[in-house]
Amino acid sequence: MDGLVIGLDLCDAYTQISCSENDKVWSLPTVICRKKSEDQWAAGEDAYGMNLTGEGVIADKLVSLAGRNGAVTIGDTAYSGQELLERFLKLALQQPMKECRTERIRQMVVTLPDVDSRIMDCLLYCADYLGIPRNHFHVISHGESFLYYVLGQKKEVWSNLVGLFELSQNGLRYYEMKIQRGIRQSTVLSDYEILEDKVRLDILDTETGAGKMDGILCTHGERLLSRKLFSSILLTGRGFDKPSWAVDFMKLICRRRKVYGESNLFVKGAACKAKDNLAEESEFPYVMICEGRLKSAVSLEVMHNEKPTQLVIAASGDSWYEAKSTLEFILDNQKELVFQIQPLDSRKRTEVRVPLEGFPERPNKTTRIQLKVGFVNENTMAVMIQDKGFGELFPASDCVIRREITI
């Protein structure tokens, strides 16, 4: 089937696009500009050019703008962050489509430095605007892109711990990946730490600024890497495009370790994920635990064939944003719902009881309930329990219970 399989790294400062069909990466600043006198738009470097000539008005930081429901006024028209992001993505995709000679997108995975429900909602509307079916469009974190990129390399790169330092307009961040090997299935975990929230990359152009950043990296590196066995250390971000300025840091991380630089790591990881989404059988048979995925399994205690059993509602490693379900049950002498929260460490299993307070009193097995489950984030589950009655004999009431459960 024809069509592009795309990974897209979307940040406030820049956007990168990679197609699984080739190794080329397209990169452009995340800015958009509209001409003052007419409805003509440009993105990236073309937007800067239009703005410099005085022909247009520019808008930047489009991800943050859309995430906070902001707006920009150009001429007499106010454009929401959502509209600007939609227009920008459409323009950004024109060059890959032109070079690959197709306008159809078969699968697309967008990766973000930080994921939250507001920007993920915005991106789903962007998919609608671009004509991409929602089941062919996914949003993941940089942490998850990191996992897919690393697991796509030779095993010698990830047989032990893998560390990743990112130095970019997103700041200075450190990611770490490890594998817990199991009898049936292995679990791959990654976590990250923001080491420096805001970094001006232009300080690397001066000897004093570069020396200061080298010292900061060494301090963090000694703390994070000591007494650990690493298969490899990766470097990404524009700050590491030419890492020769980080003399002491490079000496530190290269000591008995393999070090690799990859400026396009996150977008290539997203493209790898997009390609894997189309495979009949995944090339990555692991439970992935990282930002954007659930760290605990959630199940509900139910009766099946007159025996108590656990009905899994969400599994460890599921995308919290996509883990949504609607279930219906008939109550059998039950006054509460009992949820089991099972982290990776089985010793930390917890139980959460939700009383069915306010539900009408009826004979046993004559109350049907509907349970809707979704997730506010990877640590919070939202449940809604609604009384659906039992046919014409026992009409539904207006009773609804809403709870947020920490998992």
Side-chain angles (χ1 to χ4, degrees), residues 12-13 28-37 40-62 65 68 71-75 77 79-80 84-85 88 91:
D12 266 336
L28 70 163
T30 309
V31 295
I32 192 168
C33 186
R34 199 207 81 174
K35 275 193 173 182
K36 295 177 182 178
S37 58
Q40 183 177 334
W41 297 80
E45 296 294 346
D46 292 340
Y48 281 132
M50 184 184 291
N51 181 247
L52 285 172
T53 60
E55 297 179 80
V57 178
I58 204 164
D60 59 4
K61 297 183 179 179
L62 301 181
L65 187 69
R68 67 172 187 270
V72 172
T73 299
I74 302 176
T77 306
Y79 295 94
S80 69
L84 294 174
L85 189 58
F88 169 78
L91 289 169

Side-chain angles (χ1 to χ4, degrees), residues 271-295:
C272 184
K273 165 69 171 169
K275 182 180 179 181
D276 194 61
N277 286 343
L278 296 173
E280 291 185 9
E281 186 174 344
S282 175
E283 295 181 17
F284 307 94
Y286 311 101
V287 176
M288 304 275 199
I289 304 293
C290 57
E291 184 193 9
R293 289 185 175 254
L294 299 176
K295 297 177 176 61

Side-chain angles (χ1 to χ4, degrees), residues 2 12 43 72 181-182 187 197 214 218 230 241 273 366 374 403:
D2 294 332
D12 266 336
V72 172
R181 291 175 172 82
T187 300
D197 191 18
D214 193 11
C218 286
F230 285 85
D241 281 350
K273 165 69 171 169
T366 59
R403 284 280 300 274

Side-chain angles (χ1 to χ4, degrees), residues 132-148:
I132 306 172
R134 290 194 174 188
N135 60 334
H136 294 178
F137 183 92
H138 302 274
V139 182
I140 63 176
S141 66
H142 272 185
E144 187 167 344
S145 292
F146 166 50
L147 294 185
Y148 276 97

Side-chain angles (χ1 to χ4, degrees), residues 202-223:
D202 57 1
I203 70 169
L204 303 179
D205 297 332
T206 67
E207 186 176 344
T208 302
K212 182 179 179 181
M213 181 55 69
D214 193 11
I216 290 171
L217 283 166
C218 286
T219 300
H220 290 303
E222 288 171 354
R223 174 178 64 87

Side-chain angles (χ1 to χ4, degrees), residues 19-252:
C19 297
S20 63
E21 290 82 357
N22 56 48
D23 292 329
K24 184 171 181 179
V25 172
W26 295 267
S27 183
L28 70 163
T30 309
V31 295
I32 192 168
C33 186
R34 199 207 81 174
K35 275 193 173 182
K36 295 177 182 178
S37 58
E38 56 187 291
D39 190 28
Q40 183 177 334
W41 297 80
E45 296 294 346
D46 292 340
Y48 281 132
M50 184 184 291
N51 181 247
L52 285 172
T53 60
E55 297 179 80
V57 178
I58 204 164
D60 59 4
K61 297 183 179 179
L62 301 181
V63 182
S64 297
L65 187 69
R68 67 172 187 270
N69 295 322
V72 172
T73 299
I74 302 176
D76 297 327
T77 306
Y79 295 94
S80 69
Q82 173 75 50
E83 292 176 287
L84 294 174
L85 189 58
E86 289 171 350
R87 290 177 181 271
F88 169 78
L89 289 174
K90 187 171 184 177
L91 289 169
L93 290 166
Q94 284 182 352
Q95 190 63 29
M97 288 178 172
K98 180 180 178 181
E99 293 188 26
C100 296
R101 299 181 180 180
T102 179
E103 294 186 356
R104 182 174 180 272
I105 296 176
R106 188 178 174 197
Q107 182 77 206
M108 183 166 168
V109 172
V110 177
T111 181
L112 301 167
D114 303 289
V115 294
D116 63 50
S117 57
R118 290 175 299 177
I119 188 60
M120 293 173 88
D121 287 343
C122 285
L123 286 169
L124 281 181
Y125 288 119
C126 288
D128 297 338
Y129 177 81
L130 296 168
I132 306 172
R134 290 194 174 188
N135 60 334
H136 294 178
F137 183 92
H138 302 274
V139 182
I140 63 176
S141 66
H142 272 185
E144 187 167 344
S145 292
F146 166 50
L147 294 185
Y148 276 97
Y149 175 83
V150 173
L151 292 170
Q153 308 305 309
K154 295 179 180 178
K155 194 170 182 179
E156 63 190 47
V157 174
W158 48 269
S159 56
N160 293 305
L161 289 176
V162 180
L164 167 66
F165 288 90
E166 177 197 6
L167 180 58
S168 68
Q169 293 89 339
N170 299 324
L172 174 61
R173 298 187 179 198
Y174 173 73
Y175 298 79
E176 191 169 282
M177 167 185 151
K178 63 180 178 181
I179 297 180
Q180 291 183 352
R181 291 175 172 82
I183 298 174
R184 295 183 179 178
Q185 193 172 33
S186 295
T187 300
V188 184
L189 304 96
S190 89
D191 205 354
Y192 80 98
E193 181 180 345
I194 299 176
L195 306 179
E196 302 287 334
D197 191 18
K198 295 180 180 179
V199 175
R200 287 181 53 191
L201 296 183
D202 57 1
I203 70 169
L204 303 179
D205 297 332
T206 67
E207 186 176 344
T208 302
K212 182 179 179 181
M213 181 55 69
D214 193 11
I216 290 171
L217 283 166
C218 286
T219 300
H220 290 303
E222 288 171 354
R223 174 178 64 87
L224 294 164
L225 307 181
S226 63
R227 299 182 181 180
K228 293 180 180 179
L229 180 61
F230 285 85
S231 295
S232 58
I233 301 293
L234 307 179
L235 303 177
T236 194
R238 296 191 174 184
F240 288 126
D241 281 350
K242 296 179 180 179
S244 55
W245 59 267
V247 178
D248 293 335
F249 178 64
M250 293 304 294
K251 288 180 182 177
L252 171 68

Side-chain angles (χ1 to χ4, degrees), residues 389-401:
F390 199 80
E392 296 180 0
L393 291 175
F394 300 98
S397 68
D398 296 327
C399 186
V400 176
I401 297 171

